[in-house]
Amino acid sequence: MIHILDTLQLGRPGIIAATALETDDGLALFDTGPESTFKNIAAALSDIEFNPEDVKHVFISHIHFDHAGAAWRFAELNATIYVHPRGAPHLIDPTRLVESATRIFGDDMPRLWGRIAPVPENRVVILQDNDVVRVAPFDIRAIATPGHASHHHVYHWDDNVFGGDIAGVRLGNGPPIPPFVPPELQIEEWLESIGKIRALNPGRLYLPHFGLVPGSIEAHLATLEQRVRHWSDWFRQRIAAGQDEQQLIAEFAKFESEELLAAGATEAGVADYETADPSYMAIPASVRYWRKYHPEQIGAN
């Protein structure tokens, strides 16, 4: 059985989920949410008659704090933490990750993410692309899917895929959107990663933001792919036109809000999207992408 555990991030439902899979060896958890919501996850586990100690395996899609911030809490309880090789060093020693995040979130770090602590090295298992972990009765395969982050995995078992952030953010009645965040946004890789998920032809797709994808997975992926292309080109045009980051922050927030509303999100839903995926983060991500990978297309040297 698969359970969607709501972390109730900042007291709001439907923003960040951990996905729990019942196995013959306790629970397997796909992402953990931030440490600030660990008590909420413990309560959600209690609601399905489990405890945090029952989580024996934690599969991390990537190490951003909204996905892996509570990993060390489960490691303390003897869970094994599975992660991409590029993410493992930052779980074991999160110093640089904290410094990088603090530049973005500043004094809001504790409120948003809680306490950040190392995961003991002996609790960390590195998974390469296409490595399989047998957690009876399931074979759980890690698939490298960069684009949102270079150290991103999706996980595939039976007819299910846990999509991490590469599979998009989709809240309530809103559409899928691609969370463009610094510093590792890479559009070509993102499109390839969507193709990898499509090739698996899953019957069910689970998202950290948020839960089981309703309806057609192909339609979800097609819309996500179109939006990755459209948003990246939107940024290309404006960066080439010389707009600065402050102009882009205001203009993109308006553009994204209008797209969400047009695609069925409510005003309250737009606010939820902003909580799950702050629009301002797309600006440094996109500016860096175009300057690093395609400077000739924006008139840069």
Side-chain angles (χ1 to χ4, degrees):
M1 185 174 293
I2 298 172
H3 306 274
I4 306 301
L5 308 180
D6 196 331
T7 68
L8 298 174
Q9 169 72 346
L10 302 177
R12 298 171 72 165
I15 304 295
I16 301 175
T19 299
L21 173 65
E22 294 186 31
T23 80
D24 294 345
D25 183 29
L27 289 178
L29 201 63
F30 297 88
D31 285 356
T32 66
E35 193 276 339
S36 57
T37 64
F38 180 74
K39 289 182 179 178
N40 298 337
I41 288 294
L45 288 168
S46 178
D47 288 343
I48 59 171
E49 300 183 345
F50 289 95
N51 298 305
E53 293 83 0
D54 296 316
V55 175
K56 304 300 184 185
H57 306 270
V58 175
F59 293 88
I60 297 297
S61 64
H62 61 301
I63 60 170
H64 296 165
F65 292 140
D66 54 334
H67 297 264
W72 68 270
R73 296 291 297 265
F74 291 100
E76 278 192 331
L77 301 173
N78 294 319
T80 300
I81 314 297
Y82 302 90
V83 66
H84 189 287
R86 291 183 180 174
H90 300 287
L91 286 184
I92 295 165
D93 180 3
T95 304
R96 289 178 59 192
L97 194 61
V98 170
E99 290 173 353
S100 176
T102 300
R103 286 195 291 272
I104 298 172
F105 300 108
D107 293 340
D108 231 13
M109 286 280 291
R111 182 180 73 93
L112 290 171
W113 314 128
R115 181 183 168 206
I116 310 301
V119 175
E121 188 170 1
N122 66 347
R123 303 309 313 169
V124 174
V125 173
I126 291 173
L127 296 182
Q128 304 288 344
D129 186 25
N130 281 312
D131 278 356
V132 175
V133 179
R134 178 68 176 173
V135 184
F138 306 105
D139 290 323
I140 299 172
R141 182 182 303 276
I143 300 170
T145 40
H148 172 80
S150 66
H151 60 279
H152 194 287
H153 278 151
V154 302
Y155 295 98
H156 179 222
W157 71 99
D158 292 352
D159 198 25
N160 307 284
V161 167
F162 179 77
D165 272 354
I166 202 72
V169 171
R170 186 172 181 177
L171 308 180
N173 293 321
I177 66 169
F180 284 8
V181 300
E184 296 177 336
L185 174 66
Q186 216 294 336
I187 298 301
E188 288 81 6
E189 289 181 342
W190 199 316
L191 296 172
E192 290 173 4
S193 292
I194 291 173
K196 289 182 180 182
I197 298 172
R198 181 179 283 121
L200 297 171
N201 194 27
R204 289 171 295 276
L205 176 62
Y206 295 89
L207 305 177
H209 314 286
F210 180 90
L212 180 64
V213 168
S216 165
I217 293 172
E218 173 51 37
H220 171 96
L221 294 175
T223 300
L224 178 67
E225 179 178 359
Q226 186 276 335
R227 196 162 269 122
V228 170
R229 296 180 187 276
H230 178 45
W231 282 15
S232 61
D233 193 57
W234 186 95
F235 277 108
R236 180 191 61 78
Q237 293 179 43
R238 283 153 182 81
I239 295 167
Q243 291 192 7
D244 63 28
E245 293 200 11
Q246 288 305 310
Q247 290 173 302
L248 288 169
I249 287 171
E251 191 170 338
F252 182 68
K254 180 175 183 290
F255 166 77
E256 181 181 335
S257 175
E258 290 173 350
E259 278 219 341
L260 290 169
L261 291 169
T266 63
E267 293 282 358
V270 171
D272 285 343
Y273 272 91
E274 188 66 23
T275 300
D277 175 33
S279 59
Y280 69 85
M281 295 184 70
I283 285 74
S286 299
V287 169
R288 180 182 183 276
Y289 165 76
W290 284 108
R291 286 179 177 169
K292 179 175 181 178
Y293 295 103
H294 303 290
E296 75 287 350
Q297 294 193 36
I298 58 169
N301 293 327

